[in-house]
Amino acid sequence: MPIGVNDLKVLIVEDEIKTLNGVEYLIHQISEEYIIVGKATNAKDAIEIAMTACPDVIITDIQMPGMTGLEMIQVLNQKQIRSKFIILSGYAEFDYARKAVELRSVDYLLKPITKSLLAKALDKVKHMIEEQKNENNITVLSNQELIKKVIALPPNESGHYQKELPKRYKEDEKFSFLLIRGDNKILKIDENRMMEIIKRTISMQYEFYCVTAEHRQMYVLYKGVDKESLYKQINQVIYFCREEIHAYLAFCVTDFCGITKLLQSKQQLIDYSNWNLSMKSPALIDEEKIRKFHCHTLVYPNEIEQRLLYKIEFRQFENLTELEDFVEYLYAKEYAYMDIREAMICLTISVLYVIRKTSYGLYENVSNLKVLEWINELLFAQHYISIMNNIIFQYKIYINNTSQNAHPLIRKVIKIVDQEYKTEFNLEELARRVNVTPEYLSSLFVKELGVKFTTYYTQKRIESAKDMLKSGNYKVYEVAHEHGYEDVKYFCKVFKKYVGISPREYQQMAGKVNGLSNRKKNIQD
């Protein structure tokens, strides 16, 4: 069997044939990555096999005729065989264990061994070998490659590379660290153009390393620079990048002493970049600029939200200026970026709730785009307006298509659903009634309305169920049966998915609203 790059070569040394075969069987059970390259019943034969096969790990007994396992390890160490050792023994004396540790054994297992214990020991060997390979590979990396590994890799994967950094740089060396970050992915072509601008603008007398990480972040690390001079040149870079490449790029810079602070400074830059959302006129952000920023308490603009929700709910899509008003409000004073993002998320949730009431399918489509996660990382308020306008536009298309769809087949299907939504039927049955295949009807429905047929059909039933619950004259199980749901628990599950609360909670809430309306009417009368 050919040995792969990730396979570990194993040599088993054991004078008891039964135990030897048992260990071999366990290894085959544990993983196909452990390849047995030899078996020996005595130390002398094992040494010969080890000299030619060069196993990664040798599993050996201690007490064997002629030469003990520990004596064999000493001989192999003298011959520069760099195998790892797992000791098997029926003897639990401390002296054996201590000696095994001195001879670089990885583990000491008492017989009879179990599959789980052997698996842990072999996994430990594999991990140690991988660490050594990484350390050997690191030494041949250039400084640029090493810096890239530390910055671009997650911290839990860059540990080996971080340890190499202090070996390359003096403890008191000074660095300036620049981050260029966008809301969207930095394309390769834009990355190259930014590098051209940096090279032609910033003095090349400085040693620097450039790294792109996570597609939206570009880092430039400068070694031993004049801070005042560098910052002036970076401001020129900002001007050219925004003029020639993209207006929506955030630029942040920090300085630190000692290369071991590289990752700490990287996190600091990411934190700095978030403040770009607070800046009405984005510029180069550093610690001093943030320190001078005077944060006010943000009072959420409920009036603007209510105007926007009213227009969406009653489909008044013309002259929809509330989003611009909302963003203008956020920049009327200086607010912390956390407060601005929280306000954006609150408004987004409110808009999505209005959409959910009309079309759960469209709401589900928007949710799948992870809009809230995107907003939670925004650096530019202008992008928030674009995102929300796109969501509202999709809602407008849905409303227009459902109310005045031009396709005769979809109009026919909608008419059937509007008349018979309380009856249980599926897409296949409906397709037969309109003389098309289910596949064609399904794709046409999505194309014309932007949602699946089953979602539209269920939404129609749930809206009708809401009206019955709101009246207060029906119990939940009666509403469920009236709309074709024989299983009340399933009805409750579907209702909560589409409405956000259970049927009983909705009925209670509607009852409170009705009671309040009646009291107001009585007062007026």
Side-chain angles (χ1 to χ4, degrees):
M1 178 187 293
I3 298 175
V5 176
N6 297 319
D7 292 338
L8 258 67
K9 297 181 289 183
V10 182
L11 168 60
I12 308 172
V13 189
E14 169 62 63
D15 63 324
E16 295 179 2
I17 298 297
K18 184 178 179 180
T19 303
L20 187 148
N21 291 335
V23 172
E24 179 183 19
Y25 173 78
L26 290 178
I27 291 173
H28 287 315
Q29 292 287 309
I30 292 168
S31 174
E32 293 181 354
E33 290 186 348
Y34 300 128
I35 307 299
I36 297 173
V37 295
K39 297 185 293 181
T41 56
N42 60 75
K44 182 181 177 182
D45 291 345
I47 292 171
E48 290 182 9
I49 296 172
M51 294 293 289
T52 55
C54 298
D56 297 300
V57 57
I58 299 175
I59 302 173
T60 181
D61 189 13
I62 290 183
Q63 292 294 347
M64 294 184 293
M67 183 187 293
T68 68
L70 298 180
E71 290 170 340
M72 178 194 71
I73 293 175
Q74 288 178 315
V75 172
L76 291 173
N77 285 342
Q78 291 168 3
K79 293 182 179 294
Q80 301 297 307
I81 299 298
R82 309 310 297 171
S83 304
K84 305 296 181 186
F85 299 98
I86 297 175
I87 305 297
L88 304 179
S89 178
Y91 299 87
E93 285 87 348
F94 175 73
D95 285 343
Y96 284 116
R98 183 177 62 186
K99 187 65 175 177
V101 171
E102 291 173 358
L103 293 173
R104 298 185 298 106
S105 68
V106 175
D107 224 327
Y108 185 93
L109 305 178
L110 293 178
K111 298 177 184 177
I113 63 170
T114 63
K115 178 181 174 180
S116 61
L117 288 176
L118 182 58
K120 287 181 181 178
L122 287 169
D123 188 61
K124 190 189 296 185
V125 170
K126 185 178 180 181
H127 183 68
M128 291 175 67
I129 291 173
E130 286 175 351
E131 283 189 331
Q132 287 179 351
K133 285 180 180 178
N134 287 334
E135 289 172 2
N136 293 335
N137 292 336
I138 288 171
T139 57
V140 300
L141 291 177
S142 66
N143 287 353
Q144 167 68 35
E145 291 170 327
L146 180 63
I147 295 292
K148 182 176 181 179
K149 294 285 187 185
V150 174
I151 293 176
L153 289 175
N156 62 325
E157 296 179 21
S158 65
H160 296 295
Y161 304 104
Q162 293 175 47
K163 292 176 184 177
E164 178 70 13
L165 286 174
K167 301 175 185 177
R168 307 274 185 106
Y169 300 93
K170 296 177 183 176
E171 188 177 344
D172 59 349
E173 280 190 290
K174 295 181 179 179
F175 298 87
S176 288
F177 205 5
L178 171 67
L179 166 62
I180 305 172
R181 182 181 173 192
D183 277 338
N184 300 314
K185 178 180 178 180
I186 297 177
L187 301 175
K188 188 65 179 177
I189 187 172
D190 291 337
E191 180 186 337
N192 293 337
R193 289 167 65 196
M194 280 192 280
M195 274 309 305
E196 290 174 6
I197 292 172
I198 289 170
K199 287 178 179 178
R200 78 172 188 241
T201 307
I202 297 180
S203 173
M204 287 299 99
Q205 71 185 44
Y206 304 133
E207 182 180 336
F208 76 99
Y209 314 100
C210 183
V211 177
T212 301
E214 300 170 12
H215 307 299
R216 292 189 296 170
Q217 300 171 7
M218 182 175 176
Y219 295 89
V220 187
L221 179 67
Y222 288 93
K223 174 187 165 190
V225 299
D226 176 65
K227 176 180 173 180
E228 186 176 344
S229 172
L230 178 66
Y231 279 30
K232 286 180 181 178
Q233 293 175 52
I234 289 175
N235 277 312
Q236 289 181 298
V237 169
I238 295 173
Y239 172 78
F240 289 127
C241 282
R242 287 183 173 154
E243 284 290 315
E244 300 176 23
I245 301 175
H246 206 304
Y248 297 112
L249 291 171
F251 293 80
C252 320
V253 68
T254 189
D255 305 281
F256 62 93
C257 183
I259 194 66
T260 53
K261 295 180 181 176
L262 179 61
L263 281 186
Q264 177 185 334
S265 299
K266 175 190 171 184
Q267 186 56 54
Q268 194 174 47
L269 283 176
I270 294 173
D271 293 339
Y272 286 179
S273 68
N274 288 317
W275 283 95
N276 192 82
L277 188 62
S278 299
M279 308 290 178
K280 193 168 185 178
S281 302
L284 180 61
I285 302 171
D286 60 6
E287 185 179 7
E288 184 178 358
K289 191 170 187 67
I290 295 170
R291 194 167 54 245
K292 290 180 179 178
F293 200 82
H294 300 293
C295 294
H296 293 81
T297 301
L298 196 160
V299 179
Y300 185 74
N302 284 300
E303 183 184 341
I304 297 175
E305 179 195 275
Q306 291 306 312
R307 290 206 317 264
L308 177 63
L309 298 183
Y310 179 87
K311 286 187 176 182
I312 294 173
E313 191 158 4
F314 291 96
R315 303 168 190 183
Q316 299 176 7
F317 300 114
E318 293 74 21
N319 195 29
L320 203 66
T321 61
E322 280 68 26
L323 287 172
E324 286 78 4
D325 295 342
F326 179 76
V327 169
E328 187 177 332
Y329 176 88
L330 297 181
Y331 286 94
K333 296 180 180 179
E334 293 183 337
Y335 296 118
Y337 72 87
M338 300 84 76
D339 295 337
I340 293 175
R341 279 191 185 143
E342 186 177 345
M344 289 177 174
I345 288 172
C346 285
L347 182 62
T348 306
I349 291 172
S350 297
V351 170
L352 291 178
Y353 181 72
V354 172
I355 292 173
R356 179 177 180 157
K357 289 193 295 183
T358 304
S359 171
Y360 182 81
L362 182 58
Y363 166 80
E364 196 171 39
N365 290 346
V366 173
S367 298
N368 288 338
L369 296 175
K370 299 182 178 179
V371 171
L372 293 179
E373 291 181 25
W374 194 5
I375 291 171
N376 201 40
E377 293 186 355
L378 278 182
L379 303 177
F380 294 89
Q382 291 83 348
H383 284 165
Y384 179 72
I385 295 176
S386 300
I387 292 169
M388 296 306 295
N389 274 331
N390 185 52
I391 292 172
I392 295 170
F393 180 70
Q394 294 299 320
Y395 179 69
K396 179 182 177 182
I397 290 175
Y398 172 82
I399 294 298
N400 290 340
N401 286 347
T402 51
S403 59
Q404 49 189 4
N405 191 274
H407 198 289
L409 182 60
I410 297 300
R411 286 204 306 271
K412 188 174 183 180
V413 169
I414 289 176
K415 186 176 181 180
I416 293 172
V417 173
D418 288 348
Q419 293 174 347
E420 305 178 28
Y421 61 86
K422 293 183 180 181
T423 306
E424 184 71 38
F425 59 83
N426 54 35
L427 182 66
E428 288 73 17
E429 180 184 342
L430 188 59
R432 283 197 299 273
R433 291 174 63 176
V434 294
N435 298 315
V436 294
T437 65
E439 292 77 17
Y440 175 74
L441 181 57
S442 176
S443 61
L444 183 64
F445 206 91
V446 172
K447 178 183 175 184
E448 293 294 323
L449 299 185
V451 296
K452 297 176 182 177
F453 164 75
T454 51
T455 303
Y456 178 84
Y457 169 55
T458 305
Q459 182 81 43
K460 192 74 181 176
R461 299 170 85 188
I462 294 300
E463 288 302 316
S464 175
K466 284 164 64 177
D467 290 338
M468 285 187 69
L469 289 167
K470 201 183 296 182
S471 70
N473 299 324
Y474 302 92
K475 297 186 181 298
V476 172
Y477 75 86
E478 291 175 323
V479 175
H481 292 163
E482 175 68 17
H483 290 84
Y485 291 95
E486 296 303 320
D487 186 338
V488 178
K489 287 185 178 179
Y490 179 68
F491 166 74
C492 293
K493 182 180 179 181
V494 174
F495 189 96
K496 188 169 185 178
K497 177 182 176 181
Y498 278 69
V499 182
I501 55 178
S502 69
R504 192 173 301 281
E505 289 170 330
Y506 182 83
Q507 196 171 44
Q508 290 172 349
M509 186 174 67
K512 290 178 182 178
V513 173
N514 289 338
L516 182 61
S517 299
N518 291 334
R519 284 198 295 274
K520 284 183 178 179
K521 188 174 183 301
N522 292 334
I523 291 171
Q524 291 171 353
D525 293 343

